[in-house]
Amino acid sequence: MAFLMHACAFGVKIITLPLKIAELLGLLSFYKRLFPLIISRCVPSYNDKMNDKKRELFRNLSKFYPQNGPLRVLEVGCGSGANFEYYPNGCKITCVDPNPYFRNYLEKSMAKNDHLVYDSFVVASGENLQVVEDNSVDAVVCTLVLCSVNDIPKVLQESKRVLRPGGAFFFLEHVVSDPSSWIYFFQHVLQPFWYYFGDGCETTRATWKHLEAAGFSDLQLRHIEPPLFFMIRPHIVGYAVK
């Protein structure tokens, strides 16, 4: 099956070569504007299927309240604000995303979820959180983001830097499937197409290995397979304590 997978993947790469050339020439930049609209349309379906998992995950935020003041949450790759409805009342939220065209959709989510306090929206990548001070937040949230960042270890390093001692990094990410599965086969074969559809998203990442190697003091991680489209069905969920 390995030979067949590599042969098929090579064929798909040839088919997507015009997209690769267009990307290098900057001809796909318009998709940065379109992608937030696509995501905003997908969020209700994803949240409906992941509702129980998200509520279970973010219920753990209550463990990380500071001694004084509100819970300070930094969401990396906030997108359209799909997680806001799951946060406890009164949380102070700082939003970071590299795509400035999410702003309009984010503001709609902010208006809808007025149980939260919003600090700011910063256009920045997860690898570069210089606008956030060291040890300044109680929780960093990263959902469906580590699949598309350029440097996962750097994102985790930056997240640890901005977390206060005892703070936690919350994650919910789709990952590569078991090598013996057909999902694994199609994740690798169709990845070149998926990369362009998902604005840099990769379905073949073993993200849990980076979390295990990041040096957190405690890692609560589970592998799950929610009822989602097969390419992104394998997920990991949990949190890691600084």
Side-chain angles (χ1 to χ4, degrees):
M1 189 169 77
F3 174 78
L4 177 61
M5 181 182 73
H6 290 300
C8 292
F10 179 75
V12 172
K13 286 182 179 179
I14 296 298
I15 294 172
T16 57
L17 184 59
L19 289 173
K20 180 65 175 179
I21 295 173
E23 180 186 31
L24 293 174
L25 294 175
L27 301 179
L28 298 183
S29 59
F30 74 93
Y31 195 61
K32 291 290 183 184
R33 294 177 177 269
L34 180 60
F35 188 63
L37 173 62
I38 295 173
I39 291 298
S40 67
R41 298 292 176 85
C42 294
V43 161
S45 175
Y46 182 84
N47 273 1
D48 180 63
K49 293 175 181 177
M50 298 296 290
N51 183 62
D52 290 344
K53 298 299 182 185
K54 281 197 171 187
R55 292 198 181 282
E56 180 182 0
L57 172 64
F58 292 123
R59 194 175 296 126
N60 291 295
L61 282 170
S62 62
K63 301 176 181 178
F64 300 98
Y65 270 88
Q67 291 184 349
N68 298 298
L71 183 73
R72 300 161 298 177
V73 176
L74 171 68
E75 182 157 356
V76 177
C78 59
S80 60
N83 294 323
F84 290 167
E85 64 181 281
Y86 300 99
Y87 293 159
N89 290 343
C91 287
K92 185 177 181 181
I93 313 296
T94 300
C95 303
V96 174
D97 200 285
N99 189 334
Y101 301 110
F102 270 112
R103 181 182 295 274
N104 289 339
Y105 302 95
L106 188 65
E107 289 176 349
K108 291 178 181 178
S109 292
M110 289 176 174
K112 183 178 179 181
N113 294 280
D114 58 1
H115 64 291
L116 305 174
V117 177
Y118 300 100
D119 183 15
S120 60
F121 170 56
V122 180
V123 178
S125 69
E127 293 93 339
N128 183 6
L129 300 175
Q130 291 182 357
V131 294
V132 185
E133 296 181 0
D134 295 3
N135 307 311
S136 62
V137 299
D138 304 299
V140 174
V141 174
C142 202
T143 64
L144 302 184
V145 171
L146 298 179
C147 57
S148 59
V149 299
N150 293 323
D151 189 338
I152 295 178
K154 181 62 175 177
V155 173
L156 297 178
Q157 178 185 338
E158 277 288 86
S159 296
K160 286 181 65 180
R161 178 184 64 79
V162 302
L163 280 169
R164 65 164 173 80
F169 177 83
F170 283 74
F171 57 89
L172 177 64
E173 299 285 341
H174 68 78
V175 294
V176 68
S177 188
D178 184 278
S180 64
S181 69
W182 279 105
I183 292 179
Y184 180 92
F185 174 88
F186 283 109
Q187 282 177 326
H188 284 77
V189 169
L190 299 178
Q191 174 55 42
F193 278 125
W194 193 267
Y195 173 86
Y196 293 104
F197 170 75
D199 194 27
C201 175
E202 295 189 13
T203 61
T204 56
R205 293 185 174 182
T207 306
W208 65 89
K209 294 182 179 180
H210 295 285
L211 286 160
E212 291 169 350
F216 287 100
S217 66
D218 181 40
L219 176 61
Q220 300 292 323
L221 183 152
R222 290 190 298 129
H223 289 258
I224 60 174
E225 292 209 1
L228 300 168
F229 181 61
F230 75 94
M231 286 279 287
I232 58 168
R233 188 176 302 153
H235 269 56
I236 57 172
V237 60
Y239 61 89
V241 181
K242 178 177 176 178

